[in-house]
Amino acid sequence: MYKEKILNLLRSSHSGFISGEELARMCGISRTMVWKHIKSLEREGFAINAVPSQGYQITTLPDILRQVDVKRGLKTRIMGKAIYLLSEVASTNTLAMEMAANGTPEGTVVIAETQTTGKGRLGRKWISPKGNLYLSVVLRPNIPMHKAPLITLMGAVAVASAIRKTGNLEAGIKWPNDILVSGKKVSGLLTEMSAEQDRIRHIVLGIEMGDLPPEVRCLTTSLAAEAGATINRTALLQQLLRDLEIWYKKFLTHDEDVLEEWKKLNLTVGNRVTVSGAGESLKGLAKGVDNEGRLIVRGDDGTDHTVAAGDVTILKK
Ligand code: BTN
């Protein structure tokens, strides 16, 4: 508690020094305790300058994800009800699925600085270097099974919205759930579900935001580079949790609103595309999405195909 107060005082006087005596007085603790908290903040990664007769000053405000900072001012009711922040994990999705099976509440968020065996769509490995956001959110929607794919579209809408607001960027969605800025991928989503017969037990929405793995880097961009500045991960994460809450609530009451918004943000429909997956490839015009979020492609042979999963490449006009 005192550590947070000291951090806030140092943050708010970023350019100037605050003496140990002043900090001790404002917190109602001894100067020795102030010094101990300063050391603890340094261990967390904050760079603090200590100058005799002047006091303490934060020299850099590093982009450190801290649970208290994420929760501060969040004001969501569902998303982020419980937040687990880990330095390393095999996969946030795998852990969140296990926690969901063990009864963790809806809105639980698992975040990691890095993943050792991150998972991508279509069974791919997801390389997860430090510096990006890797998170998974537990959802327990009371919906019929055929509506489940719309959850991924809902997630994509929320991610695009958060990137637009935080980075002031023109983020759009390539079907089904790649978020693009200036034609390059900045975020991907992976949804996993546990179900029995026609009942959904839980869904985990896994999201990566930021830079992307080296093997796709030539096709991708970095959010910070696009925004022309470093995007603060705490602000981005908070905005994402707020937008997820808004769009999840809409999804539960009026799922057609989610589809409408997805269509507005979509970059696929109306373009010629190639869809690949499961060894097959389809070329044609992306005509639209159906009510369950599947892509309708008019193939070059003139027949319509309904695609539930695959990789889309948008062909140049
Ligand atoms: C894609 O293939 O585009 C989706 C990538 C999704 C990666 C995220 S990172 C957080 C979560 N945990 C995982 O193991 N995967 C997802």
Side-chain angles (χ1 to χ4, degrees), residues 91-93 115 117-121 124 126 134-136 178 185 188-190 206-208:
S91 151
T92 56
N93 260 34
Q115 305 181 111
T117 48
K119 299 183 284 185
R121 284 175 61 237
R124 294 185 191 122
W126 195 257
Y134 307 101
L135 70 138
S136 299
D178 283 349
K185 180 165 171 173
L189 286 85
L190 172 71
I207 303 166
E208 190 274 353

Side-chain angles (χ1 to χ4, degrees), residues 74-82 105-108 241-242 244-246 248-249:
L74 187 60
K75 291 192 187 136
T76 49
R77 288 171 70 103
I78 310 169
M79 303 301 164
K81 202 179 241 179
E106 179 167 68
T108 296
L241 296 177
R242 289 187 197 113
L244 270 176
E245 177 131 334
I246 292 169
Y248 183 55
K249 281 184 181 161

Side-chain angles (χ1 to χ4, degrees), residues 22 63 138 146 165 181 208 212 215 224 253 265:
E22 183 87 357
D63 192 14
V138 175
H146 68 272
K165 289 178 194 163
V181 174
E208 190 274 353
L212 287 155
E215 64 265 32
T253 50
L265 293 167

Side-chain angles (χ1 to χ4, degrees), residues 23-275:
L23 287 171
R25 193 186 52 74
M26 287 196 269
C27 295
I29 57 175
S30 69
R31 283 175 64 181
T32 312
M33 283 310 291
V34 168
W35 180 81
K36 283 189 176 160
H37 289 308
I38 295 277
K39 289 289 144 199
S40 166
L41 287 168
E42 283 178 343
R43 281 194 297 278
E44 281 191 47
F46 291 96
I48 299 169
N49 199 5
V51 176
S53 81
Q54 289 199 69
Y56 299 104
Q57 177 196 38
I58 282 208
T59 50
T60 46
L61 288 170
D63 192 14
I64 299 172
L65 279 179
R66 304 165 80 237
Q67 205 190 52
V68 277
D69 293 335
V70 177
K71 286 198 160 170
R72 184 178 298 125
L74 187 60
K75 291 192 187 136
T76 49
R77 288 171 70 103
I78 310 169
M79 303 301 164
K81 202 179 241 179
I83 297 179
Y84 296 85
L85 194 50
L86 308 162
S87 52
E88 184 179 291
V89 73
S91 151
T92 56
N93 260 34
T94 306
L95 181 57
M97 284 295 279
E98 281 166 20
M99 290 169 68
N102 289 324
T104 200
E106 179 167 68
T108 296
V109 182
V110 179
I111 310 161
E113 291 284 357
T114 177
Q115 305 181 111
T116 51
T117 48
K119 299 183 284 185
R121 284 175 61 237
L122 309 171
R124 294 185 191 122
K125 200 174 158 192
W126 195 257
I127 296 167
S128 314
K130 283 187 182 169
N132 298 329
L133 272 175
Y134 307 101
L135 70 138
S136 299
V137 184
V138 175
L139 302 174
R140 300 183 183 282
N142 186 8
I143 51 164
M145 195 83 87
H146 68 272
K147 296 266 187 198
L150 288 177
I151 289 271
T152 313
L153 302 195
M154 181 285 294
V157 166
V159 171
S161 166
I163 292 175
R164 281 171 163 261
K165 289 178 194 163
T166 317
N168 199 17
L169 296 163
E170 287 292 314
I173 307 170
K174 178 165 78 74
W175 185 89
N177 49 19
D178 283 349
I179 312 301
L180 309 190
V181 174
S182 308
K184 293 178 195 156
K185 180 165 171 173
V186 294
S187 171
L189 286 85
L190 172 71
T191 312
E192 293 186 72
M193 177 168 80
S194 166
E196 55 181 316
Q197 283 147 7
D198 199 31
R199 193 184 76 84
I200 294 169
R201 285 199 206 100
H202 50 262
I203 291 181
V204 163
L205 188 59
I207 303 166
E208 190 274 353
M209 292 168 102
D211 218 327
L212 287 155
E215 64 265 32
V216 289
R217 197 159 281 161
C218 56
L219 298 172
T220 61
T221 187
S222 131
L223 272 181
E226 280 300 330
T230 308
I231 288 184
N232 179 288
R233 290 186 303 160
T234 305
L236 182 59
L237 178 59
Q238 286 185 319
Q239 193 56 54
L240 173 64
L241 296 177
R242 289 187 197 113
D243 281 317
L244 270 176
E245 177 131 334
I246 292 169
W247 287 104
Y248 183 55
K249 281 184 181 161
K250 277 196 197 175
F251 168 75
L252 293 178
T253 50
H254 299 97
D255 58 38
E256 62 280 6
D257 289 359
V258 172
L259 211 50
E260 270 316 300
E261 187 65 14
W262 186 93
K263 284 176 186 166
K264 281 189 210 154
L265 293 167
N266 121 80
L267 303 166
T268 311
V269 175
N271 285 297
R272 279 188 50 74
V273 295
T274 318
V275 189

